[in-house]
Amino acid sequence: MAATSSTSFTTIHTHKPSASAFALNSAFGAPSSLAISTCTTNHYHRRRKLVVSATAADNHNNISTSVSSSSITLSKKVRRHTISVFVGDESGMINRIAGVFARRGYNIESLAVGLNKDKALFTIVVSGTEKVLQQVVEQLQKLVNVLKVEDLSSEPQVERELMLIKVNADPNYRAEIKWLVEIFRAKIVDISEHSVTIEVTGDPGKMVAVQRNLKKFGIREIARTGKIALRREKMGEFAPFWRFSAASYPDLGEIRPDDAPLGSKCRVVRGEDDTSVGGDVYPVEPSDDFKVAQVLDAHWGVLNEDDTTGLRSHTLSMLVNDAPGVLNIVTGVFARRGYNIQSLAVGHSETEGISRITTVVPGTDESISKLVQQLYKLVELHEVQDLTHLPFAERELMLIKIAVNAAARRDVLDIASIFRARAVDVSDHTVTLELTGDLDKMVALQRLLEPYGICEVARTGRIALVRESGVDSKHLRGYAFPI
């Protein structure tokens, strides 16, 4: 009995409200049961508030953490960058630029360089993060004779690539191959009994599509230039080449600068804040006959065929492993022996993991033969072929931006149609043309467009494949054929 009473008392005491609770409920006239529930409810709400506050704080921390992590992820995101490097031409320049990427472990996916007499414009495609690529750009700017370095990845740009692809041409499938050529607006540059060589220009996505559709026929060889790019010109007087165009065509600008030249002669007016100062712009003093803003001559690589010393341009085609630092190793062989590379194009070949380097080097047959022997000693190199004395199909790609006004635009487009060039970008003061062909064709178009004023030029350099037909007009000169 005592135990039972004690137990009952303990139970009642445990659930009995405190005196302060009775006093509070008595003051408000509430029963004791309500006081207990109210006290418990208030305690529950206080706990809930604490829980909610802690949860909100956790959510806030999670959101801030996710934002910071996403920003870090964006800064560390690896993507493809297109870098334009404008340099003065000198021996070993390509090796020095390739060395900057090689020392940092970057694999150059494609490189295209074309010379304009004494200056060159490199277009390099490489994958990396924003931060590290910015450091590479700063290192490139420290090189001697580097005039300007730009990362065009975030800019609206005209990008083009040139490819020569040789495929098997069975008579049963030749009609389908020609149909695909028309669809992709390509051209057949050589045809034989068992193969067809096709020239294709376009963006890198188009190159991939062409390869996929022609793969079923069997691809023999591929030579690619790598991508070249020019910034799409903006509209109005804030565009980079507006002042250049206004100097050539005063009707483009409403207010002519005070120091602008008057009369028949014209010079390019540049300010300190003009973004085109380091561009591929070569104004020279014109003749007294008409107003021009000319570009320097671009007939590099044209050597005298009757030279008694035997010096001539040699076209070398090399297959190398697609690995970081290979280009630096190959160009180092040329630099150490004092060879000046006139043209260089690097792109993927027909085999995965193998790249093709096409280069033009001046020299005699004997000196180039020794150079080829030195190249064969490289571990990363698979094959070297001198195409100079073989019939081969050669092509180059050029993007050229010309200053125009409303009256001159029609004349420029007429000249472009004669050379089968295409307009790929138009603004109120410029026209950008795309042209493919051999070296002589490039030089001829540039000379005709010089009086209008050339703003920028980007060239790929030469790519070449052996003609399976064995017919080349250059090798037929000087021969007489019976009628």
Side-chain angles (χ1 to χ4, degrees), residues 26-329:
S26 299
F28 288 93
S32 60
S33 59
L34 181 61
I36 297 173
S37 62
T38 303
C39 179
T40 308
T41 304
N42 292 337
H43 179 66
Y44 169 75
H45 282 300
R46 284 197 300 272
R47 287 188 60 189
R48 188 182 178 189
K49 286 182 180 181
L50 292 176
V51 172
V52 170
S53 301
T55 306
D58 291 341
N59 292 337
H60 178 73
N61 293 334
N62 291 335
I63 293 173
S64 60
T65 304
S66 62
V67 171
S68 60
S69 62
S70 62
S71 61
I72 294 174
T73 304
L74 289 175
S75 62
K76 293 183 178 181
K77 185 178 180 180
V78 177
R79 67 187 186 93
R80 187 172 284 106
H81 293 257
T82 302
I83 299 176
S84 177
V85 186
F86 185 56
V87 305
D89 179 34
E90 64 179 33
S91 180
M93 198 67 200
I94 297 177
N95 183 52
R96 273 180 276 167
I97 291 178
V100 174
F101 292 90
R103 288 190 295 271
R104 285 156 182 80
Y106 277 99
N107 183 25
I108 296 177
E109 298 182 17
S110 69
L111 184 144
V113 54
L115 306 184
N116 286 279
K117 192 176 179 180
D118 61 345
K119 294 178 178 62
L121 182 65
F122 288 75
T123 306
I124 303 171
V125 178
V126 64
S127 296
T129 61
E130 292 278 356
K131 183 178 181 180
V132 180
L133 257 297
Q134 182 62 33
Q135 296 175 358
V136 173
V137 169
E138 293 175 358
Q139 292 297 323
L140 289 173
Q141 291 174 340
K142 295 179 181 179
L143 295 179
V144 178
N145 225 6
V146 170
L147 306 179
K148 188 176 183 181
V149 183
E150 287 184 301
D151 188 355
L152 302 178
S153 307
S154 58
E155 296 280 348
Q157 58 182 279
V158 180
E159 56 177 1
R160 288 295 184 274
E161 187 174 350
L162 173 63
M163 177 174 67
L164 289 178
I165 180 169
K166 186 185 296 182
V167 299
N168 296 322
D170 188 273
N172 298 327
Y173 302 107
R174 189 162 295 182
E176 185 178 354
I177 293 175
K178 293 182 179 179
W179 176 63
L180 288 173
V181 168
E182 293 178 0
I183 290 177
F184 286 101
R185 298 179 183 177
K187 293 189 293 184
I188 296 177
V189 297
D190 184 64
I191 186 169
S192 66
E193 185 179 355
H194 303 290
S195 68
V196 172
T197 303
I198 303 169
E199 168 199 327
V200 189
T201 59
D203 55 33
K206 183 178 179 180
M207 303 293 111
V208 174
V210 171
Q211 290 187 49
R212 287 179 178 175
N213 283 273
L214 296 178
K215 188 177 181 180
K216 60 182 179 180
F217 303 107
I219 298 176
R220 292 191 176 187
E221 288 182 288
I222 292 178
R224 295 173 63 171
T225 60
K227 184 174 71 173
I228 59 173
L230 288 182
R231 183 187 290 105
R232 289 188 180 273
E233 192 69 9
K234 299 178 182 179
M235 303 289 286
E237 59 183 3
F238 296 102
F241 289 101
W242 173 263
R243 300 180 69 181
F244 178 89
S245 302
S248 299
Y249 303 97
D251 60 314
L252 287 176
E254 297 180 358
I255 302 176
R256 188 174 178 86
D258 297 334
D259 57 344
L262 301 175
S264 59
K265 291 188 178 183
C266 173
R267 295 179 58 192
V268 176
V269 181
R270 292 194 184 103
E272 295 180 357
D273 57 344
D274 191 4
T275 58
S276 65
V277 171
D280 194 4
V281 184
Y282 314 133
V284 296
E285 287 293 338
S287 61
D288 294 334
D289 299 331
F290 51 85
K291 183 189 302 182
V292 294
Q294 292 183 328
V295 69
L296 290 182
D297 200 4
H299 59 279
W300 59 270
V302 180
L303 301 178
N304 187 6
E305 297 291 341
D306 300 327
D307 191 353
T308 57
T309 62
L311 186 68
R312 61 179 303 176
S313 293
H314 287 254
T315 303
L316 302 180
S317 178
M318 295 171 278
L319 292 176
V320 299
N321 290 332
D322 187 10
V326 173
L327 182 60
N328 183 43
I329 295 172

Side-chain angles (χ1 to χ4, degrees), residues 13 132 369 445:
H13 179 75
V132 180
S369 178
L445 180 63

Side-chain angles (χ1 to χ4, degrees), residues 430-447:
T430 61
V431 171
T432 303
L433 301 178
E434 168 197 330
L435 176 68
T436 59
D438 56 14
L439 175 64
D440 297 332
K441 187 176 181 180
M442 305 287 164
V443 174
L445 180 63
Q446 286 199 23
R447 286 177 175 173

